[in-house]
Amino acid sequence: MDNMFEKIKDLFQKHGVFIKVNKGNKIFLEGERAKEIYYIKSGVISISQETETGKELTIRICGPDSIIGEGSLFCNLVYNSMTAKVLEPSTLYVLSRKSLEHLLEEQPTVMVEYMKWLQTENLKHQSRLRDLVLNGKKGALFSTLIRLSNTYGKSLENGSIYIDFQLTNTEIANLCATSREMINRMLNDLKKHDIVTFDKGFITIHDLQFLKNEIACENCPLQICRID
């Protein structure tokens, strides 16, 4: 983590309210007035939207050192465009939007870094939606696996990548905006060709380059090609 993000993190830790949230609880709901912004100290939280057809689309799976909530500041009325659900017991620091605006006004250099962070978050969001729209269901799965490997992947001695984060096929389907049955078929096909293996919700990717080739991966910077 760079030094300037450390300063943003410090704002939350010094001036925010510390809270603990149990698994299954929702921190904020899509459509509600956005009054607060959150820094995740520990745990895992999913950020999702409901599509026009009623399906859940998971936009992000956020772990420690992530900031969640509607990040744009200095707007009179802002509403949550997404819902935040706790996947694992989590601890967070909460700052009201007004408090964060005031703190950033007092520290212009930190405000610049916050705006840079916000731009990066917008690029991550745009690139994920682009992949989902342009690459079809198979491309959505492949790009999601690549993003998971960049975010939670651990390199093994044999060159494979172990995704150190447990996901059900339903959760993967929500990340890809498709059905669990479709994900089952595609993952089993990848397993049959020794591209991936999976055990109790943990995926190991054996041929990452195959996934990249199939979607004509542009090798975006790692800070953009992530799932958090």
Side-chain angles (χ1 to χ4, degrees):
M1 186 185 302
D2 60 50
N3 291 333
M4 291 311 299
F5 188 84
E6 284 285 352
K7 292 183 179 179
I8 296 171
K9 169 182 165 182
D10 286 346
L11 292 183
F12 283 87
Q13 293 182 329
K14 289 179 180 178
H15 303 281
V17 176
F18 180 75
I19 63 171
K20 297 180 179 180
V21 192
N22 293 327
K23 179 179 179 178
N25 287 357
K26 293 180 179 177
I27 297 172
F28 52 80
L29 296 173
E30 184 176 351
E32 284 184 340
R33 178 86 179 271
K35 297 180 180 180
E36 297 164 322
I37 298 178
Y38 305 79
Y39 165 78
I40 302 173
K41 182 181 180 185
S42 67
V44 181
I45 296 170
S46 72
I47 309 296
S48 63
Q49 288 179 313
E50 189 171 298
T51 67
E52 291 182 0
T53 58
K55 290 182 180 178
E56 181 182 335
L57 170 60
T58 303
I59 303 295
R60 303 169 61 194
I61 297 178
C62 304
D65 291 327
S66 297
I67 296 174
I68 60 174
E70 296 300 316
S72 56
L73 300 176
F74 306 103
C75 305
N76 290 329
L77 280 175
V78 179
Y79 295 88
N80 291 315
S81 61
M82 306 179 197
T83 294
K85 182 179 179 180
V86 179
L87 300 183
E88 294 180 4
S90 302
T91 59
L92 306 95
Y93 288 94
V94 188
L95 266 176
S96 72
R97 297 174 60 81
K98 290 294 182 184
S99 295
L100 183 55
E101 288 170 1
H102 179 67
L103 290 166
L104 291 177
E105 283 178 330
E106 292 180 335
Q107 303 179 57
T109 56
V110 182
M111 181 187 289
V112 170
E113 293 306 315
Y114 184 86
M115 294 305 165
K116 288 180 181 177
W117 166 82
L118 187 59
Q119 287 179 327
T120 300
E121 292 300 302
N122 288 336
L123 286 172
K124 287 190 332 192
H125 184 56
Q126 289 169 16
S127 66
R128 251 193 64 63
L129 293 181
R130 177 201 64 198
D131 287 349
L132 293 176
V133 171
L134 295 182
N135 292 327
K137 290 181 173 58
K138 182 181 287 188
L141 173 61
F142 291 5
S143 68
T144 296
L145 291 174
I146 293 168
R147 290 172 190 276
L148 283 167
S149 74
N150 289 338
T151 310
Y152 297 107
K154 293 187 175 180
S155 297
L156 304 180
E157 289 183 1
N158 62 4
S160 299
I161 299 174
Y162 174 74
I163 297 175
D164 191 19
F165 185 78
Q166 191 173 30
L167 286 165
T168 67
N169 283 9
T170 298
E171 289 168 335
I172 296 172
N174 290 342
L175 283 165
C176 301
T178 189
S179 67
R180 181 176 59 84
E181 293 75 18
M182 178 68 72
I183 291 299
N184 288 345
R185 287 197 295 270
M186 290 191 291
L187 283 176
N188 283 327
D189 187 58
L190 289 173
K191 182 179 180 181
K192 186 191 307 180
H193 292 89
D194 297 320
I195 306 300
V196 305
T197 52
F198 38 89
D199 179 43
K200 298 178 182 178
F202 291 96
I203 296 174
T204 301
I205 301 175
H206 302 291
D207 192 346
L208 184 64
Q209 193 58 49
F210 171 85
L211 301 178
K212 290 184 174 184
N213 291 343
E214 286 293 297
I215 63 169
C217 178
E218 298 174 357
N219 290 310
C220 299
L222 291 182
Q223 66 263 36
I224 300 299
C225 188
R226 296 175 62 87
I227 209 75
D228 60 359

